Amino acid sequence: MLELAERIVDAAAVICSAARELGVRFSVVMLHGALGPAVLMIDDAPDLSDAQRLELGGGERSWRQHPMFVALREQLRPLGSEVLGTDAFGLSAPVTFPFVMPVMGPSGWFGTIVFSARGPYSRDLERALTMLGTRFAVWCAERGIGQVPPVVGVGIPSQRHRIARLAARGRTNSEIAEALGISINTVKSRLKQVFVQLDVDNRTELASALQRLAPLHDVRPGTTRLGDLTITCAPYPNGYSARRRRSATSGG
């Protein structure tokens, strides 16, 4: 089923469903931004409040201080309650036993999956959950999904996004202008704005950045319910930043 998923939300839904069938109480799938904190979180956790989701999923303080993220930075491997304790989410009851695994890609750690159960995990269950996480990592890698790149502001205006997608697919400026019914000068201007916003230098880098931004496309800030799932996108995602690499090196 994971292979049939078209969006990261669909893939996360498969992970949550498969984990429930294995006896896990709930699951949380996170996608991290380039600065560290998660910018997108999909979960089927009935006991998490929206405030807890926003704090865990998009908080700089949480990224720096939460025991789960601290432990993952120190030991970049699957971790259980023997390392994290039995209350990873700050839930008073029932006591939850976490099993957390970093999602790794060609460029390193770009996501985190948290499984929560009512009791300790068997070795067989840990292996099965690790396999689920590995399959998710492969699914993301096959689609070019990784850490969300830094962006000036939140999101790309729709016209710029359409122009950028066509440019990333190899269309020339004149072809883009004809397809969208706008002038070539408008295409050049909007494309330049996108290059600055995504901090890229060419269309190859643009294509890569758009792939990594794709999971956030059309996802509104805050929390959204989708059946048993809750999708959380930080109101001002901490993977997005106005501090561009070039400004530090060129003084611009």
Side-chain angles (χ1 to χ4, degrees):
M1 290 295 294
L2 188 60
E3 292 73 18
L4 300 178
E6 296 183 0
R7 304 174 304 157
I8 195 169
V9 172
D10 302 325
V14 172
I15 296 297
C16 292
S17 176
R20 283 198 303 271
E21 291 180 1
L22 290 169
V24 170
R25 184 164 160 263
F26 67 78
S27 308
V28 182
V29 179
M30 303 179 193
L31 179 66
H32 295 280
L35 301 182
V39 298
L40 183 67
M41 184 169 76
I42 302 110
D43 71 85
D44 62 346
D47 299 312
L48 285 182
S49 68
D50 288 351
Q52 288 172 312
R53 288 184 173 97
L54 290 171
E55 180 182 357
L56 182 65
E60 179 67 29
R61 180 179 178 182
S62 174
W63 173 250
R64 294 195 314 266
Q65 300 180 6
H66 196 287
M68 179 178 70
F69 293 126
V70 172
L72 283 173
R73 285 196 295 271
E74 293 175 348
Q75 306 177 57
L76 204 55
R77 61 178 179 83
L79 301 173
S81 56
E82 72 281 357
V83 175
L84 300 171
T86 59
D87 197 14
F89 288 106
L91 299 175
S92 57
V95 173
T96 59
F97 286 77
F99 181 75
V100 179
M101 66 172 299
V103 181
M104 308 296 293
S107 300
W109 178 23
F110 69 91
T112 300
I113 303 179
V114 182
F115 301 105
S116 176
R118 296 184 185 277
Y121 297 78
S122 67
R123 290 189 179 275
D124 286 343
L125 179 55
E126 288 187 353
R127 280 194 292 267
L129 295 177
T130 300
M131 181 60 68
L132 269 181
T134 301
R135 289 176 57 205
F136 177 73
V138 171
W139 183 91
C140 290
E142 290 174 345
R143 290 154 181 79
I145 296 173
Q147 281 189 336
V148 177
V151 179
V152 179
V154 180
I156 303 173
S158 58
Q159 187 188 62
R160 291 188 204 173
H161 195 270
R162 289 194 295 271
I163 292 170
R165 288 180 62 188
L166 291 172
R169 292 171 183 170
R171 304 284 287 273
T172 66
N173 288 350
S174 60
E175 289 172 338
I176 296 171
E178 182 178 354
L180 299 181
I182 57 180
S183 71
I184 292 180
N185 285 338
T186 297
V187 172
K188 291 179 179 178
S189 174
R190 297 293 183 267
L191 201 52
K192 182 178 180 180
Q193 291 169 335
V194 171
F195 272 50
V196 170
Q197 190 174 7
L198 296 182
D199 195 14
V200 298
D201 296 313
N202 53 58
R203 297 190 182 204
T204 300
E205 292 181 2
L206 174 65
S208 176
L210 288 178
Q211 280 184 312
R212 289 184 287 133
L213 279 171
L216 295 185
H217 185 57
D218 291 334
V219 177
R220 70 177 181 84
T223 57
T224 302
R225 302 294 190 278
L226 186 63
D228 292 334
L229 296 180
T230 299
I231 305 166
T232 305
C233 183
Y236 191 94
N238 279 302
Y240 290 71
S241 173
R243 295 175 294 169
R244 297 175 57 243
R245 182 178 67 248
R246 289 197 192 97
S247 67
T249 58
S250 66

